[in-house]
Amino acid sequence: MVDSAGKAAHRSSAVAEAWSVPMLFPPHRQRPKVVVKADLLPAVSVLSTAGLLGIPLGWLWSLLAPAQRVRVVTADGQLAPLELESWHRFDDLAIYGFLALATGLLIGIVAWLMRERRGPVVFLAAAGGATLAAWLGTQLGSAFVNSKYAVDAAPALGAVVAQAPRLESGWVLVIAPLMTSLVYALLTAWNGREDLGRRLG
């Protein structure tokens, strides 16, 4: 009699535990707060280091971008491109765009690998550094190609000369930061942790 009563009590307690309120409504967990002050100095380092990538970006573009061959058509030095040479205007933009994509990809991955500093502060610094690198690359790249294709004397009428590559659109400045933002956002979504794994660093 006592055993059957004990079994019934144990069974009823098990049912009560299974249907208890805490199981249906788990306690609220406190979300990790965004760290700002501790990430400021690393963010400045990310911004400056990423911006320095504009130097190799501009140098590589000056090596790969094709010059446009033009002919001197007037005595005052007016130039006209040869047949099909005007296509190189697009080639110059495309080459710089692909190099900027690679730069943004590199910045986004390296910034994400800083596990202990993951968050919006370093993300904004990485995007800003990619923008700085893109701008610095256009300035230094133009300087490199202008010195490479410098003309010492005025060309004669009818002469064919190589015109330095040019970047004729400012939209190339947004390619690197957009790529950095996309890579960082995809890695954040893939991680899935509330603190992005900072505590595991």
Side-chain angles (χ1 to χ4, degrees):
M1 186 71 178
V2 175
D3 292 342
S4 60
K7 291 180 180 179
H10 178 72
R11 192 180 303 112
S12 62
S13 63
V15 172
E17 289 180 0
W19 292 96
S20 60
V21 173
M23 293 297 292
L24 295 177
F25 303 99
H28 177 70
R29 292 182 301 173
Q30 186 177 5
R31 293 181 179 273
K33 296 182 179 180
V34 176
V35 180
V36 176
K37 188 175 181 180
D39 289 351
L40 284 179
L41 186 58
V44 173
S45 300
V46 170
L47 176 66
S48 57
T49 304
L52 290 177
L53 291 178
I55 299 175
L57 173 61
W59 179 70
L60 285 175
W61 178 77
S62 68
L63 295 179
L64 299 176
Q68 182 180 2
R69 294 190 302 164
V70 295
R71 186 185 302 276
V72 181
V73 295
T74 61
D76 59 353
Q78 188 175 359
L79 305 174
L82 300 181
E83 186 178 2
L84 302 181
E85 287 291 315
S86 59
W87 289 7
H88 290 324
R89 297 169 60 188
F90 171 78
D91 297 337
D92 298 337
L93 284 172
I95 291 173
Y96 191 88
F98 283 117
L99 292 175
L101 279 176
T103 302
L105 177 66
L106 177 63
I107 293 173
I109 293 177
V110 172
W112 176 256
L113 291 178
M114 299 173 60
R115 181 187 291 271
E116 296 182 356
R117 301 302 179 189
R118 289 175 182 171
V121 178
V122 171
F123 162 69
L124 292 176
T131 305
L132 179 60
W135 176 81
L136 187 60
T138 59
Q139 301 301 310
L140 292 180
S142 299
F144 290 148
V145 295
N146 287 335
S147 62
K148 181 179 179 181
Y149 295 99
V151 178
D152 298 331
L157 183 63
V160 176
V161 296
Q163 193 175 37
R166 292 174 294 173
L167 293 172
E168 301 182 13
S169 175
W171 286 103
V172 292
L173 296 179
V174 303
I175 297 176
L178 281 179
M179 189 63 181
T180 298
S181 302
L182 178 62
V183 169
Y184 206 93
L186 289 176
L187 290 174
T188 300
W190 169 77
N191 180 265
R193 297 177 181 269
E194 291 183 349
D195 65 341
L196 303 180
R198 288 174 64 110
R199 290 175 295 181
L200 301 178

